[in-house]
Amino acid sequence: MASSNIIEAKNLKIQFQGKIALSSLSFSIKKGEKVALIGPSGAGKTTLLNTLATIIKPDEGELWIDQLSFKEMQNRKMLAKKLGMIRQQFDLVDQLPVIHNVLAGKLSDWSLFKSLLSLIYPQEKILAMNALERVGLGDKWSEKTSNLSGGEQQRVALARLLVQKPEIILADEPVASLDPARAEDVLAILTKLVHEEKQTLITSLHSVEYAKKYFTRIIALRDGMIYFDLPAHEVSAKDLASLYVLKEKV
Ligand SMILES: Nc1ncnc2c1ncn2[C@@H]1O[C@H](COP(=O)(O)OP(=O)(O)O)[C@@H](O)[C@H]1O
Ligand SMILES: [Mg+2]
C-alpha cells in the first residue's frame, strides 16, 4: 500500500437483508484530500461513511485507515485520534453550556474522573476557547447550547472537532438542515479548518455547487457503485445530469 494513502478500500461489499447497499467498492484517498460524496438518495453515501467510521463492518472486502486494518481500529482511543464524525443533527447535548460540548472532543483522551470534574470546572478551557474563537463563537462559550441557531450549533460541532484533532473527518450531510446561507458558511469554515489542520475530509453533500466550490475531488455513487470519481473541476454538467437522472420503471 502506498503510504500517502490514508484510506484504502478494496472490494467493499455491504448488504442489508440481502439487498446490496455497496457493491464491490474500491478506492483510495490521499492525506489532505477533500472529497465530496454525491449521488441520489439511497446511493450508499451514508453506508459508505459509516463503514469508513468502522460503525458498519463490511460483509466482504478490506479497509485500511492510515495503514490500520478494520480490526485494529476497534480501539476507542486510537479511533478518536484517527477519525472524527460530524452529522446533520449535530449530536450536541442541548442542555449543556457550549463549552462542555466543545470539550466533549477530549473525552476519549481523559480519565473518567477528569471528564466528570470537567462538568463542574471545565478542564483545558483555553483549548476550547481557542477553538470557539476559530469558528467565530468566542463570545458564546457559556450560552446554553439549545439557545444557539442551527448554523451556530454546527459551528460548535466544528469546534469540538478542533479539540479532538482527528486526522480524518467524516461528515454525513453536515449542512442538510441549514438554510443555504448558513450551509455555505459552515462548509466554508469546515473546509478552511481542515486545510489549516492538514486533515483529510470526506463529506456527503446534496449540493453539487458546494461540492465543486469547496472540495478537491468528487466521488459520485449510484446504486452502491462508483459512478464517477473525478477532480472537482473536471466534473461536467453532463456527468451530473446522468448521475441524477431518474431510472425508468420496468
Ligand atoms: N440499516 C439499514 N437497513 C436496511 N437497509 C438499509 C440500512 N441502511 C441503508 N439501507 C439501504 O442501503 C441503501 C443505501 O442507503 P444509504 O447509505 O442510506 O444511502 P444515501 O446515504 O446515499 O441516501 C439504500 O437502499 C437503503 O435503503
Ligand atoms: Mg444518507
Side-chain angles (χ1 to χ4, degrees):
M1 176 171 61
S3 57
S4 63
N5 286 339
I6 195 158
I7 293 177
E8 285 240 6
K10 220 168 133 191
N11 300 324
L12 290 182
K13 187 171 174 188
I14 290 174
Q15 314 190 25
F16 293 110
Q17 292 105 36
K19 188 173 169 288
I20 292 174
L22 294 183
S23 172
S24 215
L25 226 59
S26 298
F27 59 90
S28 53
I29 292 175
K30 288 191 170 54
K31 200 170 156 42
E33 280 195 282
K34 294 196 275 285
V35 180
L37 286 178
I38 63 169
S41 195
K45 303 180 294 294
T46 297
T47 305
L48 177 56
L49 285 166
N50 284 337
T51 308
L52 297 178
T54 75
I55 296 166
I56 298 177
K57 190 176 187 307
D59 296 312
E60 287 174 32
E62 289 169 273
L63 174 66
W64 290 276
I65 307 281
D66 208 8
Q67 326 238 359
L68 298 171
S69 67
F70 193 93
K71 204 168 152 209
E72 289 167 306
M73 291 293 292
Q74 298 308 304
N75 175 315
R76 205 175 135 262
K77 266 200 156 80
M78 169 102 80
L79 196 63
K81 287 263 166 280
K82 297 284 176 208
L83 293 175
M85 265 293 229
I86 180 162
R87 292 172 213 271
Q88 182 179 339
Q89 58 277 22
F90 318 144
D91 299 330
L92 302 171
V93 185
D94 283 351
Q95 298 306 312
L96 286 177
V98 164
I99 191 158
H100 291 290
N101 274 304
V102 177
L103 287 170
K106 270 277 162 194
L107 289 183
S108 64
D109 268 355
W110 288 353
S111 66
L112 179 61
F113 176 74
K114 189 165 174 180
S115 301
L116 293 176
L117 184 66
S118 183
L119 285 171
I120 307 160
Y121 306 108
Q123 304 286 298
E124 303 190 38
K125 195 171 163 184
I126 291 172
L127 187 73
M129 296 298 287
N130 285 341
L132 282 169
E133 286 289 341
R134 285 177 71 188
V135 300
L137 293 177
D139 55 340
K140 301 271 176 163
W141 66 274
S142 60
E143 192 84 41
K144 190 168 148 187
T145 304
S146 58
N147 290 346
L148 271 56
S149 69
E152 288 172 334
Q153 291 196 23
Q154 196 60 309
R155 282 193 272 149
V156 173
L158 297 186
R160 181 181 57 193
L161 275 180
L162 276 174
V163 163
Q164 184 190 337
K165 270 183 161 298
E167 289 181 42
I168 302 165
I169 293 176
L170 304 170
D172 193 11
E173 305 277 3
V175 296
S177 62
L178 304 176
D179 65 64
R182 306 295 171 288
E184 177 149 20
D185 180 51
V186 166
L187 271 182
I189 298 175
L190 171 64
T191 47
K192 179 170 176 275
L193 294 175
V194 160
H195 186 75
E196 287 169 2
E197 298 289 316
K198 299 187 174 58
Q199 290 161 314
T200 307
L201 175 66
I202 305 160
T203 311
S204 64
L205 273 185
H206 268 310
S207 164
V208 173
E209 182 197 337
Y210 294 154
K212 291 188 77 156
K213 185 165 174 188
Y214 291 103
F215 292 77
T216 54
R217 173 175 168 190
I218 297 181
I219 299 181
L221 293 182
R222 184 165 173 146
D223 298 329
M225 288 181 270
I226 293 183
Y227 193 74
F228 61 77
D229 178 355
L230 291 168
H233 66 271
E234 281 181 22
V235 174
S236 69
K238 200 165 150 235
D239 293 329
L240 295 168
S242 65
L243 171 66
Y244 287 104
V245 77
L246 291 175
K247 269 180 287 186
E248 296 200 12
K249 292 226 162 66
V250 281

